Amino acid sequence: MTRTPIELLLSEAPAARPTVSLSEGSDPRVVAGALAARKAGIADVILVGAADAVAAELHAQGSAAGHGISIHDPATSPLTTEFSTAYHDLRRHKGVDEATARKAVETPLVYAAMLVRQGHATGTVGGAVATTSDVVRTAIQVIGPAPGAAMVSSFFLMYPPERATPNARAMLYSDSGLVIDPDADELAAIAAASATSCRALLRQEPKIAMLSFSTKGSARHDKVTKVTNALAKLKLDHPELQADGELQFDAAFVPSVGTSKAPGSDVAGQANVMIFPNLDAGNIGYKITQRLGGYTAIGPILQGLAKPANDLSRGCTASDVTQMIAVTVLQAMANPT
């Protein structure tokens, strides 16, 4: 059975203890998740926020700073001046002056990302309170895209319930949280990035299904053509990948349906990377799988950044925070810099 990110880290702990910055350091769920991560030995954690509020929440949960948990208040941190200078250098071409840079760095979201950019943290996690747009925009502006990355996109890790059907398996759903309506080239880039994420986080070779409402020409429409064009682009750029499309979800997921609808395919009925044609389909699809299928959804996880930065759902639990810390560490392990 596929191991969760926490289970992977417990068996494959990195040689150097990673540090993850959490931008919403006084949120009770974030603090509880951080304490659980420390207890499991997954990572050291920097809780970013007003020092009094963070310390009060730690106290309320029977803990305090120290032993792998530290508090950084952007308003008083000795690093803020360094970060302000670096942020000004980074954003001055956009008209950001020194005063504006200082004000930006004093916000927890930007400060937490600067900890990563300046090498004080391995990765960062936010979004328990902040919106996805704020988290992603900050990550792109401060940490930036990975060299050679065509775009930044997102995915969810989907883990089946304990008592699942024989066909149930861990999967990666992309893009289910960020890119609204990718064109064919963007869809191919999302698929290529998701293949790398599959290897890093599921420890499996990717079998990529380019999803549609059509399977192998059963319907004709511009939206189907976009998917087949994306597959052609993916195969041209990455001939080593196992990918097929266009496939309906049942043809991608159920072996008997895959054999019937796409005979001879090396992906149909076996796919573990599901590439949705747009955010409507991806977001609806992961929530149906989660709420009706009983799958555990971890995400949205960002891919295509120079260093790890990840988003939480505003409905997240403490357990979600701990899992996302583990995801962030695994991403850093897969792409050491």
Side-chain angles (χ1 to χ4, degrees), residues 75-163:
T76 59
S77 169
L79 295 174
T80 298
T81 298
E82 170 198 331
F83 289 179
S84 296
T85 300
Y87 187 83
H88 178 234
D89 289 343
L90 180 67
R91 301 292 296 164
R92 72 168 76 203
H93 71 287
K94 292 291 187 180
V96 174
D97 59 23
E98 292 182 4
T100 303
R102 178 82 187 197
K103 185 176 181 180
V105 166
E106 288 182 352
T107 65
L109 198 58
V110 173
Y111 182 95
M114 289 299 299
L115 282 167
V116 179
R117 182 178 178 86
Q118 298 299 103
H120 299 278
T122 306
T124 185
V125 176
V129 178
T131 64
T132 292
S133 60
D134 286 341
V135 171
V136 174
R137 181 174 58 253
T138 300
I140 292 173
Q141 290 179 351
V142 175
I143 296 172
M151 63 188 305
V152 176
S153 57
S154 78
F155 62 93
F156 279 80
L157 295 175
M158 308 298 297
Y159 294 91
E162 289 185 11
R163 296 180 181 179

Side-chain angles (χ1 to χ4, degrees), residues 270-295:
Q270 309 170 58
N272 57 6
V273 177
M274 304 293 189
I275 304 300
F276 291 85
N278 56 45
L279 189 57
D280 279 337
N283 193 267
I284 292 167
Y286 104 77
K287 289 184 176 180
I288 289 174
T289 306
Q290 178 186 38
R291 299 300 181 181
L292 294 184
Y295 274 60

Side-chain angles (χ1 to χ4, degrees), residues 174-176 179-182 187 211 223 226 275-284:
S174 188
D175 188 325
S176 299
V179 184
I180 295 174
D181 190 17
L187 208 54
L211 297 178
K223 293 187 181 298
K226 179 181 83 166
I275 304 300
F276 291 85
N278 56 45
L279 189 57
D280 279 337
N283 193 267
I284 292 167

Side-chain angles (χ1 to χ4, degrees), residues 163-179:
R163 296 180 181 179
T165 63
N167 295 331
R169 55 187 174 273
M171 293 176 288
L172 189 152
Y173 280 19
S174 188
D175 188 325
S176 299
L178 182 58
V179 184

Side-chain angles (χ1 to χ4, degrees), residues 111-323:
Y111 182 95
M114 289 299 299
L115 282 167
V116 179
R117 182 178 178 86
Q118 298 299 103
H120 299 278
T122 306
T124 185
V125 176
V129 178
T131 64
T132 292
S133 60
D134 286 341
V135 171
V136 174
R137 181 174 58 253
T138 300
I140 292 173
Q141 290 179 351
V142 175
I143 296 172
M151 63 188 305
V152 176
S153 57
S154 78
F155 62 93
F156 279 80
L157 295 175
M158 308 298 297
Y159 294 91
E162 289 185 11
R163 296 180 181 179
T165 63
N167 295 331
R169 55 187 174 273
M171 293 176 288
L172 189 152
Y173 280 19
S174 188
D175 188 325
S176 299
L178 182 58
V179 184
I180 295 174
D181 190 17
D183 61 24
D185 287 350
E186 290 171 332
L187 208 54
I190 290 168
S194 298
T196 299
S197 295
C198 177
R199 293 191 185 99
L201 298 176
L202 293 183
R203 295 293 198 270
Q204 296 175 5
E205 278 302 303
K207 290 180 177 287
I208 304 167
M210 308 297 288
L211 297 178
S212 174
F213 61 84
S214 170
T215 295
K216 297 295 185 178
S218 64
R220 294 187 179 185
H221 192 277
D222 288 347
K223 293 187 181 298
V224 177
T225 301
K226 179 181 83 166
V227 174
T228 57
N229 288 345
L231 177 66
K233 172 69 172 173
L234 178 66
K235 286 185 171 291
L236 179 66
D237 293 344
H238 299 278
E240 77 284 1
L241 292 176
Q242 286 185 285
D244 204 0
E246 81 285 12
L247 296 173
Q248 292 164 292
F249 188 89
D250 58 350
F253 183 72
V254 182
S256 60
V257 179
T259 299
S260 173
K261 289 188 173 185
S265 172
D266 59 359
V267 169
Q270 309 170 58
N272 57 6
V273 177
M274 304 293 189
I275 304 300
F276 291 85
N278 56 45
L279 189 57
D280 279 337
N283 193 267
I284 292 167
Y286 104 77
K287 289 184 176 180
I288 289 174
T289 306
Q290 178 186 38
R291 299 300 181 181
L292 294 184
Y295 274 60
T296 297
I298 299 177
I301 301 165
L302 301 181
Q303 56 188 4
L305 291 165
K307 295 181 180 180
N310 284 308
D311 186 26
L312 294 162
S313 165
R314 280 175 285 175
C316 69
T317 65
S319 176
D320 294 332
V321 175
T322 307
Q323 287 285 13

